[in-house]
Amino acid sequence: MKAVEIKPGIYWVGGIDWDLRNFHGYLTQCGSTYNSYLIIDEKITLIDNVKYYLVDELISRISQIIDPAKIDYIIQNHIEMDHSGSLPRIMELCPKAKIYASPKGVEGLPKHYKKNWNFHPVKSGDVLNLGKRNLHFVQTPMVHWPDNMVSYCPEEKILFSNDAFGQHIASSERFDDEYPFNIMMHEAAKYYANIVLPYGSQVQKALEVVGSLEIDTICPSHGLIIRKYIPEILEKYQQWSRNQVDNKALIIYDTMWKSTEMIAHSVHDAFEAKGYQTRKFNLQYTHISDIMTEILTAKYICVGSPTLNNNILPTVAAFLTYLKGLAPKNRIGLAFGSYGWGGQSVGIVENILRECGFEMLDQIKLQYVPDADILKEKEKHLIDQIK
Ligand code: FEO
């Protein structure tokens, strides 16, 4: 339960959520942290806080440095409850503290907590003097809610980026250079794919601002503090926010009697024959949030379902709902599946993928158990369509 000094007078005082496994539908196998930062200056400043059930950890860590009653300023970069949920307890300890948030944040906080605290709205370009240091505010709407902003301290070259550049990782290590790089980047990708993906154009605007700042430390609100791999994470955010994809095809399906699975194998072989990286996911075994991590860089998204009760299987419906909400762009889709009679599933899948804005390949729809020759024929036709 130690506070960790990031730079002289600046501390990580957040909470570690070791047991978190579900973040509104996102499978968080590595847990998470809610990072909160304490700046000791003429004005004692707390940046963001933690989920309500970790408030005792937060208070314990702050108390190792300073009496929480001495907090003058609270910066709320984002009002979602994983970063604001401890405000009621913190405000009991320092009731006169001023709370700084974006205009949308100041509008939203009383709606969450039903309190009329000492709110101060700040906009892009506003600067708050803490004594020796200053905090410059930049609004970053929709990265991840309309209220989001980041705070930049030029004297320390630190960007307090809130949700941007986060990773859901619970660990005793606090810095990127103390933790396995590949796992951190995988979790950063999963976080982007499952939380930030719909907001690519807003991320692009935020990256423009970040690119103009001198930064040697990024302090996000989840996971590891980034001080070594800043160029690497910025490059990935550029790629992801532009929806730049690799020559990679995903085959995602569920199956009743293995017939749709036979088509899935055939679709896989077609992409393999064209030299694509492939990933095949049976929705019975792989969580949709892990599939999203792969979708982040996949050009082709092929989705299969047999027909069940004139419809698609519930696993496929859940996946497609999740996919549509996260709105990846510049993808090519394929719908496939087997059926006994009715045969509505393939059309339903195709319509949803079209609603996602995907260009579509010719669908593959086969009755009962697919005949090997017909499958070969479909595979050959698919190979001809793959770019
Ligand atoms: Fe980590 Fe949008 O909250």
Side-chain angles (χ1 to χ4, degrees):
M1 282 239 191
K2 280 192 310 187
V4 177
E5 192 167 37
I6 301 168
K7 292 195 177 193
I10 301 182
Y11 298 84
W12 173 88
V13 290
I16 305 177
D17 201 344
W18 298 99
D19 296 332
L20 184 80
R21 292 295 178 271
N22 184 326
F23 196 90
H24 30 71
Y26 166 170
L27 185 67
T28 47
Q29 293 101 327
C30 299
S32 194
T33 65
Y34 315 108
N35 296 337
S36 179
Y37 301 97
L38 184 69
I39 302 177
I40 305 300
D41 207 316
E42 286 164 33
K43 296 293 182 186
I44 307 296
T45 302
L46 183 69
I47 300 184
D48 294 322
N49 52 81
V50 302
K51 267 190 186 171
Y52 70 97
Y53 55 78
L54 291 176
V55 66
D56 289 335
E57 266 194 46
L58 172 71
I59 291 170
S60 158
R61 289 191 170 103
I62 295 171
S63 302
Q64 291 164 29
I65 314 299
I66 200 159
D67 178 355
K70 294 188 173 168
I71 293 172
D72 298 293
Y73 297 159
I74 294 175
I75 312 299
Q76 204 63 61
N77 278 327
H78 180 25
I79 65 169
E80 192 167 8
M81 287 77 110
D82 49 338
H83 309 299
S84 68
S86 297
L87 264 181
R89 280 280 302 282
I90 294 289
M91 290 307 290
E92 282 172 15
L93 300 173
C94 52
K96 291 195 178 147
K98 295 179 176 175
I99 301 176
Y100 294 87
S102 70
K104 288 274 183 204
V106 166
E107 194 183 310
L109 282 169
K111 293 180 182 167
H112 280 155
Y113 299 107
K114 319 299 176 196
K115 296 282 187 189
N116 194 20
W117 292 315
N118 193 357
F119 294 118
H120 294 263
V122 288
K123 313 180 295 302
S124 290
D126 288 351
V127 179
L128 180 66
N129 178 255
L130 311 183
K132 293 196 295 289
R133 305 176 184 88
N134 293 283
L135 286 177
H136 294 234
F137 302 111
V138 180
Q139 290 168 270
T140 52
M142 301 318 293
V143 190
H144 146 239
W145 278 11
D147 65 281
N148 272 81
M149 64 178 195
V150 299
S151 305
Y152 172 62
C153 179
E155 295 80 9
E156 302 287 354
K157 299 183 184 164
I158 297 180
L159 180 72
F160 298 96
S161 65
N162 196 267
D163 276 342
F165 312 114
Q167 333 95 43
H168 281 314
I169 295 173
S171 61
S172 57
E173 299 90 334
R174 293 275 66 81
F175 296 97
D176 57 349
D177 47 79
E178 301 170 337
Y179 195 83
F181 174 74
N182 288 344
I183 300 176
M184 183 191 79
M185 291 307 285
H186 177 82
E187 290 303 323
K190 183 169 182 180
Y191 185 93
Y192 190 98
N194 285 276
I195 292 183
V196 189
L197 184 57
Y199 313 117
S201 58
Q202 292 91 337
V203 171
Q204 280 289 309
K205 283 187 200 135
L207 287 172
E208 259 176 51
V209 175
V210 169
S212 67
L213 305 174
E214 207 179 341
I215 296 169
D216 68 17
T217 307
I218 295 178
C219 290
S221 59
H222 298 287
L224 299 153
I225 295 165
I226 302 163
R227 63 184 178 189
K228 181 174 181 186
Y229 296 112
I230 291 174
E232 286 80 357
I233 193 93
L234 289 178
E235 186 191 328
K236 284 294 175 192
Y237 263 61
Q238 285 287 359
Q239 179 191 344
W240 299 333
S241 61
R242 292 174 196 274
N243 278 278
Q244 287 172 351
V245 290
D246 298 331
N247 279 341
K248 183 162 84 172
L250 306 189
I251 299 96
I252 303 147
Y253 67 98
D254 198 350
T255 192
M256 288 167 70
W257 297 106
K258 305 285 186 191
S259 294
T260 296
E261 188 163 68
M262 288 171 71
I263 305 173
H265 294 330
S266 191
V267 170
H268 169 271
D269 290 351
F271 281 98
E272 192 181 54
K274 291 288 275 199
Y276 272 70
Q277 287 175 49
T278 56
R279 306 277 187 273
K280 196 162 49 177
F281 297 111
N282 182 326
L283 285 159
Q284 291 174 31
Y285 307 116
T286 307
H287 195 268
I288 54 178
S289 59
D290 287 315
I291 295 174
M292 281 312 304
T293 314
E294 293 290 343
I295 282 177
L296 190 55
T297 51
K299 180 174 176 182
Y300 284 93
I301 300 171
C302 310
V303 181
S305 176
T307 297
L308 175 75
N309 301 330
N310 305 326
N311 214 314
I312 55 179
L313 286 179
T315 47
V316 181
F319 166 70
L320 288 171
T321 301
Y322 196 61
L323 174 74
K324 194 174 167 190
L326 288 166
K329 296 182 177 57
N330 305 331
R331 276 25 178 221
I332 303 171
L334 166 70
F336 65 91
S338 80
Y339 68 103
W341 51 104
Q344 294 90 339
S345 63
V346 178
I348 293 170
V349 170
E350 176 149 333
N351 284 341
I352 298 172
L353 293 176
R354 282 192 191 284
E355 285 164 15
C356 290
F358 298 172
E359 180 189 328
M360 294 300 295
L361 303 179
D362 295 344
Q363 59 174 235
I364 303 175
K365 178 177 166 182
L366 298 172
Q367 192 176 25
Y368 289 125
V369 178
D371 181 88
D373 292 339
I374 296 175
L375 261 186
K376 268 284 157 224
E377 204 180 290
K378 294 287 182 190
E379 193 176 311
K380 189 173 172 311
H381 181 63
L382 178 56
I383 289 171
D384 290 343
Q385 294 174 80
I386 298 169
K387 293 170 186 164

PDB file of all heavy atoms in Angstrom, residues 38 53 56 59 63 78 102 106 131 152 163 216 273 276 316 355 382:
ATOM      1  N   LEU A  38      -0.744  12.859  -6.658  1.00  0.00           N
ATOM      2  CA  LEU A  38      -0.704  13.924  -5.652  1.00  0.00           C
ATOM      3  C   LEU A  38       0.502  14.811  -5.938  1.00  0.00           C
ATOM      4  O   LEU A  38       1.628  14.316  -6.053  1.00  0.00           O
ATOM      5  CB  LEU A  38      -0.574  13.292  -4.254  1.00  0.00           C
ATOM      6  CG  LEU A  38      -0.606  14.235  -3.068  1.00  0.00           C
ATOM      7  CD1 LEU A  38      -2.004  14.844  -2.889  1.00  0.00           C
ATOM      8  CD2 LEU A  38      -0.190  13.495  -1.784  1.00  0.00           C
ATOM      9  N   TYR A  53     -14.876   1.679  -3.915  1.00  0.00           N
ATOM     10  CA  TYR A  53     -14.510   0.614  -2.974  1.00  0.00           C
ATOM     11  C   TYR A  53     -13.002   0.550  -2.702  1.00  0.00           C
ATOM     12  O   TYR A  53     -12.558  -0.266  -1.898  1.00  0.00           O
ATOM     13  CB  TYR A  53     -15.058  -0.744  -3.417  1.00  0.00           C
ATOM     14  CG  TYR A  53     -14.704  -1.216  -4.815  1.00  0.00           C
ATOM     15  CD1 TYR A  53     -13.455  -1.756  -5.105  1.00  0.00           C
ATOM     16  CD2 TYR A  53     -15.639  -1.170  -5.840  1.00  0.00           C
ATOM     17  CE1 TYR A  53     -13.148  -2.212  -6.369  1.00  0.00           C
ATOM     18  CE2 TYR A  53     -15.341  -1.619  -7.113  1.00  0.00           C
ATOM     19  CZ  TYR A  53     -14.096  -2.141  -7.373  1.00  0.00           C
ATOM     20  OH  TYR A  53     -13.797  -2.586  -8.632  1.00  0.00           O
ATOM     21  N   ASP A  56     -10.269   3.643   0.668  1.00  0.00           N
ATOM     22  CA  ASP A  56      -9.380   3.547   1.841  1.00  0.00           C
ATOM     23  C   ASP A  56      -7.916   3.421   1.415  1.00  0.00           C
ATOM     24  O   ASP A  56      -7.017   3.945   2.074  1.00  0.00           O
ATOM     25  CB  ASP A  56      -9.784   2.355   2.728  1.00  0.00           C
ATOM     26  CG  ASP A  56     -11.099   2.634   3.444  1.00  0.00           C
ATOM     27  OD1 ASP A  56     -11.426   3.826   3.642  1.00  0.00           O
ATOM     28  OD2 ASP A  56     -11.818   1.666   3.785  1.00  0.00           O
ATOM     29  N   ILE A  59      -6.814   6.964   0.434  1.00  0.00           N
ATOM     30  CA  ILE A  59      -6.597   7.832   1.607  1.00  0.00           C
ATOM     31  C   ILE A  59      -5.333   7.396   2.356  1.00  0.00           C
ATOM     32  O   ILE A  59      -4.537   8.228   2.810  1.00  0.00           O
ATOM     33  CB  ILE A  59      -7.842   7.816   2.518  1.00  0.00           C
ATOM     34  CG1 ILE A  59      -8.996   8.537   1.790  1.00  0.00           C
ATOM     35  CG2 ILE A  59      -7.556   8.483   3.856  1.00  0.00           C
ATOM     36  CD1 ILE A  59     -10.349   8.396   2.455  1.00  0.00           C
ATOM     37  N   SER A  63      -2.150   9.770   2.889  1.00  0.00           N
ATOM     38  CA  SER A  63      -1.779  10.063   4.287  1.00  0.00           C
ATOM     39  C   SER A  63      -0.308   9.774   4.564  1.00  0.00           C
ATOM     40  O   SER A  63       0.257  10.304   5.534  1.00  0.00           O
ATOM     41  CB  SER A  63      -2.662   9.253   5.244  1.00  0.00           C
ATOM     42  OG  SER A  63      -4.015   9.567   5.012  1.00  0.00           O
ATOM     43  N   HIS A  78     -11.722  13.568 -15.630  1.00  0.00           N
ATOM     44  CA  HIS A  78     -12.823  12.781 -16.214  1.00  0.00           C
ATOM     45  C   HIS A  78     -13.751  12.413 -15.068  1.00  0.00           C
ATOM     46  O   HIS A  78     -13.293  12.094 -13.979  1.00  0.00           O
ATOM     47  CB  HIS A  78     -12.213  11.534 -16.868  1.00  0.00           C
ATOM     48  CG  HIS A  78     -13.153  10.588 -17.521  1.00  0.00           C
ATOM     49  ND1 HIS A  78     -14.383  10.952 -18.009  1.00  0.00           N
ATOM     50  CD2 HIS A  78     -13.017   9.253 -17.801  1.00  0.00           C
ATOM     51  CE1 HIS A  78     -14.961   9.882 -18.564  1.00  0.00           C
ATOM     52  NE2 HIS A  78     -14.168   8.848 -18.438  1.00  0.00           N
ATOM     53  N   SER A 102     -13.639  20.082 -16.682  1.00  0.00           N
ATOM     54  CA  SER A 102     -14.123  20.759 -17.892  1.00  0.00           C
ATOM     55  C   SER A 102     -15.562  21.232 -17.650  1.00  0.00           C
ATOM     56  O   SER A 102     -16.220  20.775 -16.702  1.00  0.00           O
ATOM     57  CB  SER A 102     -14.090  19.779 -19.065  1.00  0.00           C
ATOM     58  OG  SER A 102     -15.092  18.801 -18.869  1.00  0.00           O
ATOM     59  N   VAL A 106     -18.041  19.727 -14.875  1.00  0.00           N
ATOM     60  CA  VAL A 106     -18.705  20.477 -13.800  1.00  0.00           C
ATOM     61  C   VAL A 106     -20.223  20.290 -13.877  1.00  0.00           C
ATOM     62  O   VAL A 106     -20.918  20.280 -12.862  1.00  0.00           O
ATOM     63  CB  VAL A 106     -18.290  21.971 -13.887  1.00  0.00           C
ATOM     64  CG1 VAL A 106     -19.189  22.846 -13.052  1.00  0.00           C
ATOM     65  CG2 VAL A 106     -16.828  22.121 -13.448  1.00  0.00           C
ATOM     66  N   GLY A 131       1.990  27.003  -7.570  1.00  0.00           N
ATOM     67  CA  GLY A 131       3.132  27.503  -6.801  1.00  0.00           C
ATOM     68  C   GLY A 131       4.332  27.478  -7.736  1.00  0.00           C
ATOM     69  O   GLY A 131       4.450  28.306  -8.645  1.00  0.00           O
ATOM     70  N   TYR A 152      -1.492  19.090 -18.242  1.00  0.00           N
ATOM     71  CA  TYR A 152      -0.070  19.035 -18.599  1.00  0.00           C
ATOM     72  C   TYR A 152       0.726  19.955 -17.669  1.00  0.00           C
ATOM     73  O   TYR A 152       0.348  21.118 -17.465  1.00  0.00           O
ATOM     74  CB  TYR A 152       0.102  19.475 -20.056  1.00  0.00           C
ATOM     75  CG  TYR A 152       1.538  19.646 -20.483  1.00  0.00           C
ATOM     76  CD1 TYR A 152       2.417  18.561 -20.475  1.00  0.00           C
ATOM     77  CD2 TYR A 152       2.023  20.893 -20.899  1.00  0.00           C
ATOM     78  CE1 TYR A 152       3.743  18.715 -20.870  1.00  0.00           C
ATOM     79  CE2 TYR A 152       3.338  21.051 -21.296  1.00  0.00           C
ATOM     80  CZ  TYR A 152       4.190  19.956 -21.280  1.00  0.00           C
ATOM     81  OH  TYR A 152       5.496  20.105 -21.660  1.00  0.00           O
ATOM     82  N   ASP A 163      -7.910   8.592 -19.345  1.00  0.00           N
ATOM     83  CA  ASP A 163      -8.134   7.315 -20.025  1.00  0.00           C
ATOM     84  C   ASP A 163      -7.174   7.066 -21.200  1.00  0.00           C
ATOM     85  O   ASP A 163      -6.850   5.914 -21.505  1.00  0.00           O
ATOM     86  CB  ASP A 163      -9.578   7.237 -20.546  1.00  0.00           C
ATOM     87  CG  ASP A 163     -10.562   6.766 -19.476  1.00  0.00           C
ATOM     88  OD1 ASP A 163     -10.118   6.187 -18.466  1.00  0.00           O
ATOM     89  OD2 ASP A 163     -11.773   6.969 -19.655  1.00  0.00           O
ATOM     90  N   ASP A 216       8.079  13.912 -20.975  1.00  0.00           N
ATOM     91  CA  ASP A 216       8.935  12.746 -20.710  1.00  0.00           C
ATOM     92  C   ASP A 216       8.229  11.699 -19.853  1.00  0.00           C
ATOM     93  O   ASP A 216       8.783  10.631 -19.612  1.00  0.00           O
ATOM     94  CB  ASP A 216      10.302  13.150 -20.129  1.00  0.00           C
ATOM     95  CG  ASP A 216      10.232  13.725 -18.717  1.00  0.00           C
ATOM     96  OD1 ASP A 216       9.206  13.533 -18.032  1.00  0.00           O
ATOM     97  OD2 ASP A 216      11.221  14.360 -18.293  1.00  0.00           O
ATOM     98  N   ALA A 273      -4.349 -19.099 -48.161  1.00  0.00           N
ATOM     99  CA  ALA A 273      -3.813 -19.275 -49.520  1.00  0.00           C
ATOM    100  C   ALA A 273      -3.377 -17.940 -50.115  1.00  0.00           C
ATOM    101  O   ALA A 273      -2.465 -17.893 -50.943  1.00  0.00           O
ATOM    102  CB  ALA A 273      -4.875 -19.929 -50.410  1.00  0.00           C
ATOM    103  N   TYR A 276      -2.499 -14.209 -46.068  1.00  0.00           N
ATOM    104  CA  TYR A 276      -2.953 -13.377 -44.947  1.00  0.00           C
ATOM    105  C   TYR A 276      -2.602 -14.007 -43.607  1.00  0.00           C
ATOM    106  O   TYR A 276      -2.575 -15.234 -43.480  1.00  0.00           O
ATOM    107  CB  TYR A 276      -4.480 -13.190 -45.017  1.00  0.00           C
ATOM    108  CG  TYR A 276      -4.875 -11.999 -45.858  1.00  0.00           C
ATOM    109  CD1 TYR A 276      -4.701 -12.027 -47.240  1.00  0.00           C
ATOM    110  CD2 TYR A 276      -5.372 -10.848 -45.275  1.00  0.00           C
ATOM    111  CE1 TYR A 276      -5.027 -10.933 -48.018  1.00  0.00           C
ATOM    112  CE2 TYR A 276      -5.699  -9.751 -46.046  1.00  0.00           C
ATOM    113  CZ  TYR A 276      -5.526  -9.795 -47.421  1.00  0.00           C
ATOM    114  OH  TYR A 276      -5.845  -8.701 -48.181  1.00  0.00           O
ATOM    115  N   VAL A 316     -23.430 -14.957 -31.500  1.00  0.00           N
ATOM    116  CA  VAL A 316     -23.086 -14.139 -32.672  1.00  0.00           C
ATOM    117  C   VAL A 316     -23.794 -12.776 -32.566  1.00  0.00           C
ATOM    118  O   VAL A 316     -23.207 -11.738 -32.886  1.00  0.00           O
ATOM    119  CB  VAL A 316     -23.469 -14.866 -33.983  1.00  0.00           C
ATOM    120  CG1 VAL A 316     -23.077 -14.018 -35.192  1.00  0.00           C
ATOM    121  CG2 VAL A 316     -22.805 -16.234 -34.048  1.00  0.00           C
ATOM    122  N   GLU A 355     -24.414  -2.469 -41.940  1.00  0.00           N
ATOM    123  CA  GLU A 355     -24.721  -1.324 -41.064  1.00  0.00           C
ATOM    124  C   GLU A 355     -23.455  -0.801 -40.369  1.00  0.00           C
ATOM    125  O   GLU A 355     -23.386   0.360 -39.976  1.00  0.00           O
ATOM    126  CB  GLU A 355     -25.755  -1.724 -40.005  1.00  0.00           C
ATOM    127  CG  GLU A 355     -27.173  -1.836 -40.556  1.00  0.00           C
ATOM    128  CD  GLU A 355     -28.121  -2.586 -39.618  1.00  0.00           C
ATOM    129  OE1 GLU A 355     -27.774  -2.775 -38.430  1.00  0.00           O
ATOM    130  OE2 GLU A 355     -29.187  -2.985 -40.087  1.00  0.00           O
ATOM    131  N   LEU A 382     -14.004 -17.297 -53.223  1.00  0.00           N
ATOM    132  CA  LEU A 382     -13.563 -16.355 -52.185  1.00  0.00           C
ATOM    133  C   LEU A 382     -12.132 -15.882 -52.469  1.00  0.00           C
ATOM    134  O   LEU A 382     -11.831 -14.687 -52.377  1.00  0.00           O
ATOM    135  CB  LEU A 382     -13.679 -17.011 -50.801  1.00  0.00           C
ATOM    136  CG  LEU A 382     -13.207 -16.194 -49.604  1.00  0.00           C
ATOM    137  CD1 LEU A 382     -13.909 -14.842 -49.521  1.00  0.00           C
ATOM    138  CD2 LEU A 382     -13.449 -16.965 -48.303  1.00  0.00           C
TER     139      LEU A 382
END
